[in-house]
Amino acid sequence: MNTGLTQIINGNVITPHEILFNTAVLIRNGSIEEICRDNEVREGAQIIDARGQYVSPGFIDIHVHGGAGHDFMDGEKDGFLEIARLHARHGTTAMVPTSLTSGKDQLIALLKTYGEAEKDNTDGAAFLGLHLEGPYFAMNQRGAQDPRYIRDPDPAEYEEILKYAHLIARWSAAPERAGAMEFGRRLREKGVLAAMAHTDAVYEQVLEAIASGYTLSTHLYSGMSGVSRKNAFRYAGVIESSLLLDEIDVEIIADGVHLPAPLLKLIYKVKGPEKIALITDAMRGAGMPEGESILGHKDDGLKVIIEDAVAKLPDRSSFAGSVATADRLVRTMLRTADVPLLEAIKMMSQTPARIMGQQHKKGAIRKGMDADIVLFDNDIQVSLTMVGGKVVYRTAR
């Protein structure tokens, strides 16, 4: 962490409520000390000249699987660190590394690797805890998740995994599976965020899930039920429930491929920026050329193909993760969903910070907050990324 005094000058500073033009930000000991409207250079400060660029709160990606040719499921510390560096180059200052469905022993090994990597992660996006995506999912909503590992929540299994609860930030599951409500209540007791994902639940089950601790809808529209009919009667699914119920936050893969413009606009109109987190859901192909790749562990993961700026199953029947970075998400919301910059940034910073319980120190440029800051131009091209007051990425000027 930077222990000196740094001042970013000549910036258009994005605050929670407005953009302050020709303004400076003073940083001391890794935290924001002051927003300086006079833009006057402070004595002894190391100067970063924004040159009229936007000075934004760092992007927070709460659902990411990999990048730069690495996947967290590889279980390699160096891979963790390289993923963090890759996404930092695109404005991400904090992330929640995410798993895929797998066996108990592999998940525990992954948690141990995460613990090691967290200690050495000094040059990339900070880690906020691990996201276990699965394995307690609905089989016919599995998408690209490996069916070999999909199963009901088993207390004997998840209690052993929850011995590492201090490393787990969130866990996604299908609430309609046998034992999933008890599982959600147990996550709440352990301080782990419970999310609904890869699920066939209906509205009544979603209501029960909320009461059991599930408060987040994982990658809305992807791998979840919509309206269904049983014995001629219609039932609202997780999609409609997530849009309707204020108790539920949603995350969306705003890469411009997973969700077309009408759905992005609908979600924004119904939920608003205070309830939406933009996520990359990026797999190892992020930052890599198009072509063949692997989703999950490099040795036994699922073969996929990257084309049209997205990962697909080889038969092209389904998407298999995104290759987006956070800057692309912001651009998509601006250009495709017609969202104002201030609110697009909120969905990439302040809202995900609140969802993850980090709002007291991350997600906004405000006195006392962590100095997690990104500089970018009108095209959201990132020129500098700062994590805890330390510059971890900077373009040559």
Side-chain angles (χ1 to χ4, degrees), residues 96 128-131 165-171 191-194 356:
V96 181
L128 300 180
L130 206 64
H131 169 204
H166 61 290
L167 301 177
I168 304 171
R170 52 177 294 201
W171 200 330
V192 176
L193 174 66
M356 300 312 303

Side-chain angles (χ1 to χ4, degrees), residues 244-261:
L244 174 64
L245 297 169
D246 292 339
E247 296 89 341
I248 300 176
D249 295 308
V250 301
E251 54 171 51
I252 57 174
I253 309 171
D255 61 354
V257 182
H258 279 78
L259 296 172

Side-chain angles (χ1 to χ4, degrees), residues 25-193:
V25 177
L26 192 65
I27 297 156
R28 189 189 300 273
N29 299 330
S31 298
I32 296 169
E33 182 171 280
E34 185 182 355
I35 297 175
C36 312
R37 295 300 303 274
D38 58 14
N39 207 28
E40 180 180 341
V41 174
R42 298 299 193 265
E43 183 179 355
Q46 177 184 350
I47 300 301
I48 296 173
D49 191 347
R51 301 183 183 182
Q53 295 181 98
Y54 290 102
V55 180
S56 168
F59 304 151
I60 300 175
D61 189 358
I62 66 173
H63 186 154
V64 53
H65 293 273
H70 302 276
D71 192 297
F72 292 118
M73 291 303 294
D74 294 341
E76 297 174 348
K77 184 178 77 169
D78 288 345
F80 269 75
L81 301 179
E82 187 55 41
I83 295 166
R85 286 191 285 265
L86 178 278
H87 286 279
R89 294 198 288 271
H90 296 272
T92 298
T93 56
M95 61 166 56
V96 181
T98 300
S99 73
L100 292 167
T101 55
S102 60
K104 178 192 68 176
D105 292 343
Q106 190 175 5
L107 290 177
I108 290 175
L110 182 67
L111 283 159
K112 292 179 179 178
T113 302
Y114 168 85
E116 296 172 1
E118 186 178 34
K119 298 174 185 176
D120 293 338
N121 184 20
T122 58
D123 297 308
F127 297 145
L128 300 180
L130 206 64
H131 169 204
L132 301 183
E133 188 178 5
Y136 312 134
F137 288 151
M139 185 63 76
N140 66 343
Q141 292 286 1
R142 67 184 182 274
Q145 299 279 347
D146 194 329
R148 294 176 297 171
Y149 299 111
I150 291 176
R151 52 197 184 272
D152 289 328
D154 178 358
E157 175 180 74
Y158 65 68
E159 287 294 347
E160 189 169 348
I161 297 171
L162 284 173
K163 292 177 182 177
Y164 301 87
H166 61 290
L167 301 177
I168 304 171
R170 52 177 294 201
W171 200 330
S172 291
E176 75 277 12
R177 293 219 63 142
M181 299 300 176
E182 178 186 351
F183 174 63
R185 292 189 290 271
R186 187 65 178 130
L187 293 182
R188 183 167 56 189
E189 290 172 357
K190 299 294 287 185
V192 176
L193 174 66

